Amino acid sequence: MSAPLLSARGVTKRFGGRIACRDVSFDLWPGEVLGIVGESGSGKTTLLNCLAGRLLPDGGSVAYETQSAGTVDVHHLSEARRRLLARTEWGFVNQDARDGLRMGVSAGANIGERLMAVGARHYGDIRREAVDWMARVEIDADRLDDRPTTYSGGMRQRLQIARNLVSKPRLVFMDEPTGGLDVSVQARILDLLRGLVEGLHLSAVLVTHDLGVARLLTHRLMVMQGGAVVEQGLTDQVLDDPQDAYTQMLVASILPV
Amino acid sequence: MPDTNIQATAYNYAYLDEQTKRMIRRAILKAVAVPGYQVPFGGREMPLPYGWGTGGIQVTAAIIGRDDTLKVIDQGADDTTNAVSIRRFFAKVAEVATTTHTEEATVIQTRHRVPETPLTDGQILVFQVPIPEPLRMLEPRETETRTLHALSEYGVMQVSLYESIARHGRIAKTYNYPVMVNGRYIMSPSPIPKFDNPKLDRSAALQLYGAGREKRIYAVPPHTPVKSLDFDDHPFEIETWTECCALCGSKESFLDEMIVDDTGKRLFVCSDTDYCESRR
């Protein structure tokens, strides 16, 4: 098998005396979806930001296997290379769609931004691509010229996903993509994400506190507590036969319906 | 060079002190060396309010000498308050000859227009700039816009043009139309009509841009390519008029529309007064 797509070794991040994540190591293989679960404040988002190059870790390294230039150390790249990587080979889906969208411009412009950033200069082509992606994330094409401010929360989240996937990234970081949405909208987005991940052969790192989301989307799971990984393994294995006391508690606290 | 003859007056030659002029000249040299890059400089208080041309005046003061001939235009006209005041200011403090004829001028300070008469080698065009940052309306953070310039990340500028077409069916921006200088930096050409953008491209004259409030100087050296941004299927276009100038009959110049009586009668005249007068 080829090299892992993303490989973290001993990633540690401190904020002053407080350790946000401690000595995290894992490999993410092409086509794999890795879930990071844990309670609020356990360092999930900090870890995700370190992986995506948005935060500089205090220790450890993150290696990424690029499409053409071999393996690179994410935090030793020049800022220009890292930003280029982030808007071509990577995607980042924020919990709050407002952080990931340009709220002042139309949905079409939001989807087209990455294309224009890498040099697309044909309005008609960009627009066609935007219409195509609107359909793929199940938004009516006649909302193309509306601003995201007129969209519902679920639509904004789907628009954010489209905006990220338009550049055909290989790796998508997702921070609670369904947090703050009602359950029926959550279900649609999960459905959509599952279809896209499989259809596009994406790899993803998904942060969530919702074990249901993790069960549905992820292949492998890392459980974090107090900044450290307490258990990792195949999702079904971790959820059905949790070994660590904390994981057992987490699994036991899922509300039966 | 300080002049003993004017020691009795309260100000130095060309109003600014010599150290300030040296500082501004250094900024200008850097700006010329990196076309389109905004160079910060220590802008001084000038005897007129921000927005009236403090940046342009400081640039002019730094480069002007006794053998220069100065022309000042405001919206193309030589006879508006701003133009007359600035011309008189330099006639007094820098003892320069002034003119209204584009061909005779060595330094032309301008607000909102580029003269219709093609500029030649050795002429310097000084622009007054209100907002030097072309990305300002899209990205409010200065640290971020500097990064975008440094990394040549200009997708967001294209997004604004896309948005304009999506909303209006065409690129509706008519002035301060963003340009790419020498294939590297996106630059605000100051609020000139987009009609004038093609005149910036490979112009024989040196173009200097001064922003007083924002304390930035940038430049386009002679014969530098300046490209107006556009889309392949929505190419850059300049304004056109169905009328011609009512005074000189020009069909090629930038026309101002005037309402001349109470019944709404309209008249189109050249905005460049010197060009118009020379044709009558």
Side-chain angles (χ1 to χ4, degrees), chain B residues 13 60 63-70 95-98 104-107 122 124:
Chain B
Y13 177 76
T60 303
I63 59 172
I64 207 160
R66 278 201 184 77
D67 47 356
D68 275 318
T69 308
L70 179 71
E95 298 159 9
V96 289
T98 60
E104 292 171 11
T106 54
V107 177
I124 300 176

Side-chain angles (χ1 to χ4, degrees), chain A residues 18 35 47 64 71 106 109 120 130 138 143 145 166 171 177 190 202 230:
Chain A
R18 188 169 293 119
L47 175 61
Y64 170 74
T71 310
S106 66
E138 299 163 19
R143 300 298 302 272
D145 292 333
V166 68
L171 173 60
L190 290 177
L202 283 178
V230 293

Side-chain angles (χ1 to χ4, degrees), chain B residues 248-266:
Chain B
C248 75
S250 171
K251 286 179 174 157
E252 289 86 41
S253 76
F254 187 85
L255 301 180
D256 285 337
E257 183 179 6
M258 300 197 302
I259 296 175
V260 289
D261 62 15
D262 289 348
T263 59
K265 188 165 178 291
R266 276 145 214 273

Side-chain angles (χ1 to χ4, degrees), chain A residues 79-80 83 87 102 104-106 108-109 113 116-117 120-124 126-127 145 147, chain B residues 138-139 144 147-148 151 153-156 158-159 162-163 165-167 230-234:
Chain A
E79 191 179 359
R83 287 172 74 122
R87 64 171 191 269
R102 259 180 217 287
V105 299
S106 66
E113 179 169 353
M116 291 183 253
R121 291 291 180 268
H122 192 285
Y123 176 80
I126 294 166
R127 210 170 159 77
D145 292 333
R147 294 183 185 195
Chain B
L138 311 161
E139 175 52 66
E144 184 65 14
T147 309
L148 295 179
L151 302 179
E153 265 182 34
Y154 290 133
V156 59
Q158 211 70 24
V159 168
Y162 172 98
E163 189 66 6
I165 301 175
R167 205 166 295 168
D230 60 2
F231 284 97
D232 295 344
D233 47 346
H234 284 82

